[in-house]
Amino acid sequence: MFTRMFGKSKQETNALTTMDKLNETLEMLEKKENVLQKKASGEVEKAKASTRAKNKRAAIQCLKRKRLYEQQVEQLGNFQLRIHDQMILLEGAKATTETVDALRTGAAVMKAMQKATNIDDVDKTMDEINEQTENMKQIQEALATPIGAAADFDEDELEAELEELEGAELEEQLLQPAFAAPAAPVQVLAGRVPARSKLTKEEEELAALQEEMAL
């Protein structure tokens, strides 16, 4: 791991150093290109002056030097393109290397995690969970089972008794009147007693005596 870290650091340092060197070279070429372009422009001015002076030979020599400067400018332009191309390739290679290194690190971590939790451990853990769940279910069922005198009660008999009580309650509700009728006023006529549906012997004799006295 440390070898990989130090190797990675060395690669990054080399890449940065190379990029700096390419940038410096590119700046140097651009400066030389500017100088050559100024020299080519100067030769053009000299050629014009020689032409005005009717010195054709000197004017041609100026144009030749201008061509040479332009060729060097073109060559420097090609060098700059090469350097730009190299910088792009180097940046792409650096990004590729970082991507591969990140993927390699992720794969190593995943491999370590899989090694720490293999499929056998997962199956064993699930078996333990299922076993504990089944044990807890049995414990709960055991706690819910009635004990003592309550265990001797017949559930069917209790259900039948409950249905009988519910039927009696319903019958009693149906027999009750919807509302109580008010009692009719009792009018007692003078010398007369209210008739009764059923009278005892004494009550009958008393009633007969009252009727005789009224007569």
Side-chain angles (χ1 to χ4, degrees), residues 60-91:
I60 291 175
Q61 292 296 325
C62 291
L63 292 177
K64 287 182 179 180
R65 288 192 294 269
K66 180 184 77 71
R67 292 286 182 86
L68 292 175
Y69 289 142
E70 288 176 348
Q71 289 178 358
Q72 292 182 6
V73 169
E74 184 178 359
Q75 187 177 15
L76 291 177
N78 291 331
F79 290 164
Q80 293 177 50
L81 288 175
R82 292 288 185 89
I83 291 178
H84 279 297
D85 184 56
Q86 188 68 27
M87 292 174 66
I88 292 172
L89 291 175
L90 185 59
E91 290 176 351

Side-chain angles (χ1 to χ4, degrees), residues 4 8-9 12 16 18 21 29 34 37 65 92 99 103 112 124 166 172 174 179 181 191 205 211-212:
R4 183 179 299 173
K8 180 181 177 182
S9 178
E12 290 180 351
L16 292 175
T18 303
K21 182 64 176 178
L29 292 174
N34 291 332
Q37 287 177 348
R65 288 192 294 269
T99 302
L103 293 173
K124 183 178 179 180
E166 292 176 349
E172 183 177 353
L174 293 175
F179 55 90
E205 294 177 353
E211 291 179 356
E212 291 179 358

Side-chain angles (χ1 to χ4, degrees), residues 118-180:
N118 54 37
I119 187 63
D120 294 334
D121 293 338
V122 174
D123 291 339
K124 183 178 179 180
T125 301
M126 293 304 299
D127 291 340
E128 292 177 354
I129 292 175
N130 292 332
E131 182 179 357
Q132 295 299 325
T133 302
E134 185 64 25
N135 292 339
M136 182 58 65
K137 181 179 179 180
Q138 293 178 2
I139 292 173
Q140 293 175 349
E141 290 178 354
L143 293 175
T145 302
I147 58 176
D152 298 332
F153 294 152
D154 190 341
E155 294 291 335
D156 294 336
E157 293 181 357
L158 294 175
E159 290 288 342
E161 183 177 354
L162 179 61
E163 292 179 359
E164 184 178 352
L165 290 175
E166 292 176 349
E169 180 69 18
L170 179 60
E171 183 178 358
E172 183 177 353
Q173 292 178 359
L174 293 175
L175 293 176
Q176 289 181 354
F179 55 90

